[in-house]
Amino acid sequence: MSDAAAALSLCVLTVSDTRTPVNDSSGDYLVESLKTAGHRLHERAILPDDRYQLRALVSRWIADADVDGILVTGGTGFTGRDSTPEAVLPLLDKTMPGFGEIFRAISFAEIGTSSLQSRAFAGLANGTFVFCLPGSTSACHTAWEQLIRAQLDTRTKPCNLAALRARLLESPHMDVRAVDQGRSSEE
């Protein structure tokens, strides 16, 4: 990433009942990828498939003004223990339906109809981007390389998520022209 691009502070969460720091290949891949792209790792964690533990940690990261984005891998399938959507979706202020739709379309070309089992999704919470991906390293690679990396790069044209950061917390009653000049109409 060149000096012209903005480095973001990102968290990585692996949701798994079996992964450890020794065998967390998906978490390792995401950490290495975000660093290679010029971003900073703010924090990394591995938690079991427990919606309340997930919700607590993701909530803490969402509330942290120093965190720009969260990458969650795992818990997006259909088994009884898969609970990432149930844990995280209630925390989102806005969903990003296109992320899951495009991810599944790309995955269909790679894994066929098995892609319909993915409940990958993304959204925004308190000005923080949240991306929830399947637990497989190949799915994390697909999501990062084909969707997330470009959208977290301010140089991506015609538009990208990273460039929106300054405006993510605007309220519906704010005068955007005033915000661009450093003041709000609510003053």
Side-chain angles (χ1 to χ4, degrees), residues 17 26-27 31 33 35 44 49-50 61 68 71 74-75 99 108 115 128 131 151 155 159 179 187:
D17 291 330
S26 296
V31 168
S33 296
K35 288 179 177 180
R44 179 179 179 180
D49 279 300
D50 178 286
W61 286 344
D68 297 308
L71 304 171
F99 175 82
F108 181 78
S115 61
T128 303
F131 297 94
Q151 282 300 299
R155 300 167 296 181
C159 59
V179 170
E187 293 177 339

Side-chain angles (χ1 to χ4, degrees), residues 100-152:
E101 295 162 0
I102 295 171
F103 175 79
R104 282 180 284 281
I106 294 168
S107 294
F108 181 78
E110 297 175 358
I111 61 171
T113 59
S114 295
S115 61
L116 67 82
Q117 295 180 39
S118 171
R119 297 189 299 153
F121 65 96
L124 182 70
N126 192 36
T128 303
F129 301 113
V130 180
F131 297 94
C132 295
L133 318 172
S136 78
T137 305
S138 63
C140 290
H141 181 271
T142 296
W144 179 264
E145 290 300 326
Q146 301 210 33
L147 294 168
I148 299 170
R149 181 173 49 94
Q151 282 300 299
L152 296 184

Side-chain angles (χ1 to χ4, degrees), residues 40-126:
R40 295 178 306 274
L41 178 64
H42 182 81
E43 189 173 339
R44 179 179 179 180
I46 299 174
L47 289 177
D49 279 300
D50 178 286
R51 78 177 65 186
Y52 301 105
Q53 289 184 50
L54 302 179
R55 196 174 289 160
L57 180 58
V58 173
S59 292
R60 181 171 61 79
W61 286 344
I62 289 168
D64 187 336
D66 292 330
V67 174
D68 297 308
I70 301 167
L71 304 171
V72 179
T73 174
T76 61
F78 279 102
T79 71
R81 296 282 298 158
D82 290 325
S83 61
T84 297
E86 291 75 20
V88 177
L89 281 168
L91 303 176
L92 299 180
D93 300 321
K94 294 182 179 183
T95 60
M96 194 183 309
F99 175 82
E101 295 162 0
I102 295 171
F103 175 79
R104 282 180 284 281
I106 294 168
S107 294
F108 181 78
E110 297 175 358
I111 61 171
T113 59
S114 295
S115 61
L116 67 82
Q117 295 180 39
S118 171
R119 297 189 299 153
F121 65 96
L124 182 70
N126 192 36

